[in-house]
Amino acid sequence: MTPHQAMLCGAFALGVFSLVTAGSVALTRAVTAERIAAHQQAYQHRQLQEVLPAPFVDIAVQTVLESSFELPSPEQLGHQASQRDSQRGWHVQSGTRSVIILPVVTRQGYNGEIQLLVGIDQQQRITGVRVTQHQETPGLGDDIERQRSDWITNFNGLGLNSLPPNGWAVRKDGGHFDAFTGATITPRAVVNAVHRALNYVADTDLPITFEEPSP
């Protein structure tokens, strides 16, 4: 083999190696992204059940998923106007009782977007709130996660009229809710988002029959 032929063979081998490597990396990324998406979806499914009240505890996830409906004016819950046609809530029924679950987004977090699920019953009271996605600082802002602390359960049982308007804030702002040591922005964002969900329910025609809210 001449030196020129050797160089050509070497270049060809290097090109094949590069193509195989690039393909492997692309495939690995695609598989990893698919797995991450699947894990996120499974996590949200678990969270859907967690915002339901005790009488709904035996309802299967599939039943909850099949109860979805298109959200009217989803931008009022923080969703992008360009995605309004794909935003859905859930109307879950058990006997004569009903609960509505709303996906809420706030971009007031310390590190950006925080996504939540807010469950609200026929008395327009909160049955549960869970954070499904966030990028808040570990050890500080991530106390909004239920597995990190019980702070998120402070909303349970509250309705729009349970607190005066200025009570829907963290204590540093003169409100009802505790903040975290060294992290006020994150809980403030969540409180505002939950308050917005209650106002949305009060002002929006939804597929649930609400009773007259009481304090």
Side-chain angles (χ1 to χ4, degrees):
M1 179 182 295
T2 66
H4 179 67
Q5 290 175 323
M7 288 178 61
L8 289 176
C9 287
F12 177 75
L14 182 60
V16 170
F17 175 77
S18 298
L19 287 173
V20 171
T21 301
S24 298
V25 170
L27 179 61
T28 300
R29 286 180 176 175
V31 171
T32 301
E34 186 176 337
R35 287 177 178 172
I36 290 174
H39 285 313
Q40 287 178 338
Q41 186 178 48
Y43 180 68
Q44 186 186 56
H45 292 174
R46 292 195 302 271
Q47 300 296 69
L48 281 169
Q49 288 182 303
E50 289 192 17
V51 302
L52 292 171
F56 290 68
V57 68
D58 293 327
I59 293 180
V61 170
Q62 189 59 38
T63 301
V64 177
L65 296 176
E66 291 172 355
S67 70
S68 70
F69 65 94
E70 186 174 326
L71 283 175
S73 305
E75 60 273 11
Q76 294 181 26
L77 294 175
H79 299 282
Q80 300 284 0
S82 60
Q83 300 175 331
R84 61 176 296 152
D85 292 338
S86 63
Q87 299 303 328
R88 306 189 70 80
W90 297 267
H91 176 211
V92 189
Q93 297 176 286
S94 178
T96 59
R97 302 187 61 175
S98 294
V99 172
I100 201 162
I101 303 175
L102 301 175
V104 185
V105 179
T106 175
R107 295 173 183 81
Q108 299 175 346
Y110 184 77
N111 286 324
E113 186 173 282
I114 301 172
Q115 298 182 18
L116 309 97
L117 292 173
V118 181
I120 300 174
D121 65 15
Q122 290 166 289
Q123 289 76 42
Q124 298 187 38
R125 291 182 177 274
I126 294 170
T127 59
V129 179
R130 291 293 184 273
V131 173
T132 60
Q133 190 172 332
H134 73 89
Q135 302 178 61
E136 302 304 280
T137 306
L140 291 174
D142 61 352
D143 276 352
I144 55 176
E145 297 177 19
R146 180 63 184 92
Q147 59 266 41
R148 289 275 307 168
S149 79
D150 61 359
W151 180 85
I152 201 75
T153 64
N154 288 319
F155 297 104
N156 293 0
L158 295 180
L160 191 60
N161 299 322
S162 298
L163 301 172
N166 60 3
W168 288 95
V170 295
R171 294 191 189 279
K172 184 176 181 180
D173 299 333
H176 171 79
F177 299 92
D178 291 328
F180 308 144
T181 302
T184 301
I185 294 175
T186 303
R188 179 188 289 136
V190 173
V191 171
N192 289 341
V194 173
H195 188 212
R196 188 166 68 244
L198 287 171
N199 278 300
Y200 174 85
V201 163
D203 299 334
T204 308
D205 186 19
L206 296 168
I208 180 173
T209 302
F210 288 117
E211 300 174 5
E212 188 67 26
S214 57

